[in-house]
Amino acid sequence: MSRLRLAPVVSLVAVAGLAALALHAETAAPDPDAASTVPASQAQIDLSFAPVVHSAAPAVVNIYATRVVDQKASPFAGDPLFERLFGDLAPTTPRVQNSLGSGVIVGSDGIVVTNFHVVGSATEIRVVLNDRREYAATVMLGDEDSDLAILKLDGASDLPSLAFTDSDAIEVGDLVLAIGNPFGVGQTVSSGIVSGLARSSTAVGDGLGAFIQTDAAINPGNSGGALVDMQGRLVGINTAILSRTGGSLGIGFAIPANLVAQVVTQAQAGSDRFTKPWAGLTGQAVDAATAEAMGLPRPDGVVLSSVHPESPFAAAGLKAGDVITEVDGLPVNSPQEIVLRIATRGVGAKVDVSWLRDGEAQGATVLLIAAPDSPAREARTISGDTPLDGLSVARINPAVLEELDLPPKADGIVVTQAGRTSAAAGFRAGDLILAINGAEVGSTADVETLALSGDRRWRIDLVRQGKPVRLQFRY
């Protein structure tokens, strides 16, 4: 089936190449420097991608990361019953794990962008340039949510770098090149087009969402590499593929350049973590059924189901039931797009928001803020001879909501981290603790008091992902 599909495409490319060659011969004399310059005409682009590659490839690097992980050597490995019962008792041995990825130099002083999953928890990072120079690197900023990491090459200066393009101006059908080091075979270039925009994290995996989709071949090892336009500017950072085999099937995703630029800016300002503006909203895309029920002319925008009282959008006048249609003049059709639009602007910026209320168009300017860390979270960690040993809890405030990705209506005491003992008892980060052994929990101090006063039988009432959960066990 693939042969039948590919044959016409190859023929069309051959015809296009011959036409471009004829056009070039008629309209321009041969340019001896064409191989080392950015294309100056559409005919040059159609004829060859080499000028773009010569311009962009030197700024794309290979990244070798080393990390030490604890590996359990269990005699019960593979047995579904005994591994579950005794797996935690197996001894652990340290093992060195290597990972391979790509990166992009965005600052001539040695600032490199890559994926967090390439260098996360790495104990040693080595970066190899296209001209075979090698540098040790340290992580300036790592953000797992956006899957971005900013590296600084030790002792580097006057390096080739890529400029950012405005990823909001990218359109489906634009030509792009993916440059990276797939499978460790060496730097490789693949061509394609932008095949989709604003692909959400529900389709791709974790991340801020609203990825750029491309059919340029992306394979393992391409992660962190460059997606560039026909001017050799950075469109995005390649980060993921959809595949049943682990190889490219023509559906790859890149983190938009505007978001990458914001993360780089914060790293250069000295921040070691990425702070994005807080929306304080929950909502869903307007589909055909929702549009009909709300009397909307077409299924566009995001209908809000809740708005936190301290949200900057609430301060601008928005409330549950409103349909946000645009942020800064750009259409939004998923909650992830709203998050991306404000994340690329940064804390302290202002954005113009358009929305519909009862079918009437409205608009306002929203001042973007970081999630307030108030009232005080009263964080504490339980310790002692209790099944809650190692349990970290906090009072919910907007900052905690943002960190744990909780809905705006969440309130009370939440688990921020579960230690080994408390995790074995069934606790998970994000659990809201309602009661312990029948006694209601109203503060983190209540959790500590009740944790140290329990008997052998325990009953914990929780809310987990919006559903009631009861933990019952003997200790």
Side-chain angles (χ1 to χ4, degrees):
M1 182 178 296
S2 61
R3 184 175 300 168
L4 291 175
R5 211 167 35 232
L6 285 174
V9 176
V10 173
S11 299
L12 287 173
V13 171
V15 171
L18 290 173
L21 183 60
L23 177 61
H24 183 68
E26 292 177 3
T27 58
D31 183 357
D33 297 325
S36 59
T37 60
V38 174
S41 68
Q42 186 64 40
Q44 290 180 5
I45 293 175
D46 292 340
L47 184 62
S48 175
F49 292 123
V52 182
V53 176
H54 281 295
S55 172
V60 181
V61 300
N62 298 336
I63 296 178
Y64 301 88
T66 301
R67 57 178 63 85
V68 178
V69 297
D70 290 331
Q71 185 177 33
K72 291 184 178 180
S74 173
F76 306 109
D79 188 293
L81 175 61
F82 288 98
E83 186 176 23
R84 182 167 62 87
L85 292 175
F86 304 109
D88 288 339
L89 302 179
T92 60
T93 56
R95 182 174 65 88
V96 176
Q97 187 180 71
N98 297 308
S99 65
L100 172 69
S102 305
V104 182
I105 303 173
V106 295
S108 60
D109 56 346
I111 304 297
V112 174
V113 179
T114 187
N115 285 142
F116 181 87
H117 73 259
V118 172
V119 298
S121 303
T123 55
E124 182 182 0
I125 303 171
R126 186 164 53 92
V127 175
V128 181
L129 274 60
N130 191 36
D131 59 10
R132 300 182 182 179
R133 283 182 290 173
E134 296 188 17
Y135 293 91
T138 55
V139 177
M140 298 174 63
L141 182 154
D143 185 65
E144 190 170 6
D145 287 342
S146 62
D147 195 22
L148 288 172
I150 313 302
L151 310 180
K152 181 68 170 68
L153 305 188
D154 298 342
S157 62
D158 196 26
L159 299 182
S161 62
L162 289 186
F164 294 100
T165 190
D166 180 5
S167 55
D168 288 338
I170 297 298
E171 297 182 3
V172 173
D174 284 349
L175 289 168
V176 287
L177 301 180
I179 309 176
N181 184 16
F183 301 111
V185 299
Q187 192 175 87
T188 302
V189 180
S190 55
S191 67
I193 63 169
V194 173
S195 55
L197 295 172
R199 297 307 194 206
S200 70
S201 57
T202 56
V204 182
D206 294 334
L208 292 183
F211 295 93
I212 297 170
Q213 180 180 309
T214 177
D215 67 350
I218 297 175
N219 288 289
N222 270 117
S223 292
L227 190 70
V228 302
D229 62 13
M230 292 301 100
Q231 285 72 48
R233 300 171 301 186
L234 189 64
V235 171
I237 297 295
N238 299 321
T239 187
I241 60 174
L242 284 184
S243 173
R244 296 180 179 178
T245 63
S248 175
L249 295 178
I251 303 178
F253 301 94
I255 302 169
N258 287 358
L259 177 60
V260 178
Q262 182 61 225
V263 178
V264 171
T265 297
Q266 293 193 22
Q268 291 176 322
S271 177
D272 60 357
R273 61 186 298 270
F274 177 49
T275 302
K276 62 179 182 293
W278 176 57
L281 308 171
T282 57
Q284 64 183 36
V286 176
D287 56 18
T290 304
E292 182 178 1
M294 299 184 68
L296 302 176
R298 54 184 176 273
D300 288 334
V302 177
V303 58
L304 302 181
S305 54
S306 64
V307 182
H308 193 281
E310 296 185 49
S311 165
F313 288 83
L318 282 89
K319 60 183 183 180
D322 291 343
V323 178
I324 297 180
T325 55
E326 292 183 350
V327 174
D328 261 0
L330 299 168
V332 289
N333 287 293
S334 70
Q336 291 84 2
E337 283 188 79
I338 295 177
V339 172
L340 176 72
R341 298 301 179 206
I342 65 174
T344 59
R345 273 46 176 183
V347 174
K350 295 180 179 180
V351 295
D352 295 324
V353 179
S354 301
W355 72 91
L356 298 174
R357 177 178 297 165
D358 299 327
E360 297 293 328
Q362 301 194 37
T365 299
V366 177
L367 174 63
L368 301 180
I369 62 171
D373 196 11
S374 61
R377 59 178 70 195
E378 301 174 5
R380 65 182 68 208
T381 299
I382 312 303
S383 62
D385 185 17
T386 168
L388 277 67
D389 181 54
L391 191 74
S392 297
V393 293
R395 176 177 296 281
I396 290 177
N397 63 23
V400 175
L401 291 175
E402 183 78 355
E403 291 168 11
L404 298 178
D405 194 24
L406 298 173
K409 289 185 177 181
D411 192 20
I413 305 303
V414 65
V415 175
T416 57
Q417 186 176 1
R420 181 173 181 177
T421 302
S422 52
F427 289 95
R428 299 180 190 173
D431 287 346
L432 303 182
I433 303 178
L434 303 180
I436 298 177
N437 293 330
E440 293 187 2
V441 170
S443 67
T444 59
D446 290 344
V447 176
E448 186 170 41
T449 300
L450 295 170
L452 299 174
S453 62
D455 202 348
R456 295 189 61 189
R457 296 178 181 272
W458 289 79
R459 187 177 75 254
I460 315 292
D461 294 311
L462 310 169
V463 173
R464 177 177 294 166
Q465 296 180 345
K467 299 179 181 180
V469 173
R470 173 170 287 182
L471 305 179
Q472 296 189 90
F473 51 87
R474 293 171 64 89
Y475 179 71

